[in-house]
């Protein structure tokens, strides 16, 4: 149980285009999903918290107009990187919270974004 | 100063060795401590979860928390090649919400 999927696993796009990443909880409903960014040899950095049916809460320094988050259902959240630039190239990981405890957060396999 | 410090390694050990992975932290309010394992190009998976100080054992894995020293450890006994991965520590103040603070991760290779 507690499986989270992400699609695509890897994407290459040209500078200036937009990319959508999907995060799905496959066998449980997740009121809350989280989006992280991970640079090589660095820790996961929380970008935003996504609650079903409401606006996402962004961490300080994360541009909400650039990283659009939609949590349309209890099993799906999407992250759209708009007008991508090479510096947006990173590993994006989502997680979904199954219960109320902080450790009940299950991570997706990540999406490797490369912007050329 | 970072909230959580973790030696990135890499750490290389022979199969069967005992592995010790560590994190230090600066915020004395942290009460919940987690260890995650992350294989290459995969998301982290929860290995151990502990509250406050003390030890917790699960199979070959033992997590230790020393709040007085702001130091946590993960021990892996009888290490296997399949344990080769990056291990991240994470901690939080409360047991609800999402405010995790992650270490940078330690890359471990277990050589057959």
């Amino acid at each position: 149980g507690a499986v989270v999927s992400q699609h695509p696993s890897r994407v290459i796009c040209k500078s200036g285009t937009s990319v959508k990443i999907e995060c799905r909880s496959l066998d449980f409903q997740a009121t809350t999903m989280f989006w992280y960014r991970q640079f090589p040899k660095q820790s996961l950095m929380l970008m935003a918290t996504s609650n079903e049916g409401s606006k996402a809460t962004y961490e300080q320094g994360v541009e909400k107009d650039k990283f659009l988050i939609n949590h349309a259902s209890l099993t799906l959240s999407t992250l759209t990187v708009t007008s991508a630039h090479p510096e947006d190239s990173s590993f994006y990981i989502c997680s979904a919270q199954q219960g109320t405890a902080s450790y009940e957060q299950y991570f997706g396999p990540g999406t490797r974004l490369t912007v050329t | 100063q970072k909230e959580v410090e973790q030696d990135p390694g890499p750490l290389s050990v022979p199969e069967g060795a005992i592995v010790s992975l560590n994190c230090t932290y600066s915020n004395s309010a942290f009460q919940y401590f987690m260890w995650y394992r992350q294989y290459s190009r995969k998301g982290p998976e929860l290995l151990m979860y502990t509250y406050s100080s003390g030890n917790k054992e699960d199979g070959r894995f033992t997590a230790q928390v020393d709040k007085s020293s702001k130091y946590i450890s993960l021990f892996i006994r009888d290490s296997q090649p399949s344990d080769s991965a990056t291990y991240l520590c994470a901690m939080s103040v409360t047991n609800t919400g999402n405010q995790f603070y992650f270490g940078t991760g330690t890359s471990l290779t277990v050589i057959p």
Side-chain angles (χ1 to χ4, degrees):
Chain A
V3 178
V4 177
S5 71
Q6 272 184 252
H7 178 79
S9 58
R10 182 185 291 262
V11 58
I12 301 172
C13 71
K14 291 187 177 179
S15 189
T17 61
S18 294
V19 173
K20 181 187 282 190
I21 302 170
E22 291 186 351
C23 176
R24 293 181 186 273
S25 56
L26 298 185
D27 50 2
F28 65 99
Q29 294 186 327
T31 306
T32 305
M33 290 184 171
F34 307 96
W35 287 96
Y36 294 85
R37 188 171 177 177
Q38 187 177 32
F39 291 106
K41 292 184 168 42
Q42 293 190 28
S43 60
L44 279 76
M45 290 180 55
L46 180 66
M47 297 175 67
T49 302
S50 167
N51 291 296
E52 186 264 339
S54 62
K55 290 184 179 180
T57 302
Y58 290 82
E59 295 300 303
Q60 192 173 9
V62 178
E63 297 176 60
K64 62 180 181 181
D65 294 330
K66 181 167 184 61
F67 297 99
L68 300 178
I69 291 172
N70 183 277
H71 194 155
S73 76
L74 287 171
T75 59
L76 173 64
S77 176
T78 61
L79 168 68
T80 302
V81 183
T82 62
S83 187
H85 290 282
E87 57 266 29
D88 298 325
S89 299
S90 188
F91 194 52
Y92 292 87
I93 302 177
C94 73
S95 69
Q97 190 151 333
Q98 183 175 27
T100 56
S102 57
Y103 64 85
E104 292 181 285
Q105 205 179 128
Y106 298 93
F107 289 83
T111 296
R112 172 75 58 192
L113 170 63
T114 303
V115 184
T116 60
Chain B
Q1 183 186 10
K2 289 182 185 176
E3 295 271 7
V4 181
E5 299 276 359
Q6 185 176 9
D7 186 343
L11 183 62
S12 186
V13 301
E15 183 175 354
I18 296 174
V19 176
S20 172
L21 303 166
N22 312 293
C23 287
T24 59
Y25 61 94
S26 57
N27 187 350
S28 58
F30 287 142
Q31 295 191 83
Y32 299 88
F33 305 91
M34 288 134 302
W35 283 97
Y36 287 85
R37 178 175 60 197
Q38 185 176 21
Y39 291 112
S40 181
R41 298 191 178 90
K42 301 290 185 185
E45 57 174 324
L46 181 67
L47 270 181
M48 300 285 284
Y49 166 77
T50 52
Y51 168 70
S52 195
S53 284
N55 293 0
K56 186 174 185 178
E57 188 173 320
D58 183 2
R60 295 185 295 111
F61 298 90
T62 300
Q64 281 187 355
V65 175
D66 182 348
K67 289 193 69 181
S68 62
S69 302
K70 298 193 186 71
Y71 188 89
I72 69 171
S73 300
L74 177 70
F75 297 97
I76 307 174
R77 290 185 299 281
D78 188 24
S79 56
Q80 303 294 310
S82 58
D83 295 329
S84 299
T86 295
Y87 291 80
L88 299 107
C89 63
M91 42 200 82
S92 63
V93 173
T94 65
N95 192 30
T96 58
N98 59 286
Q99 196 57 47
F100 278 19
Y101 293 87
F102 283 90
T104 53
T106 300
S107 175
L108 170 67
T109 300
V110 180
I111 303 168

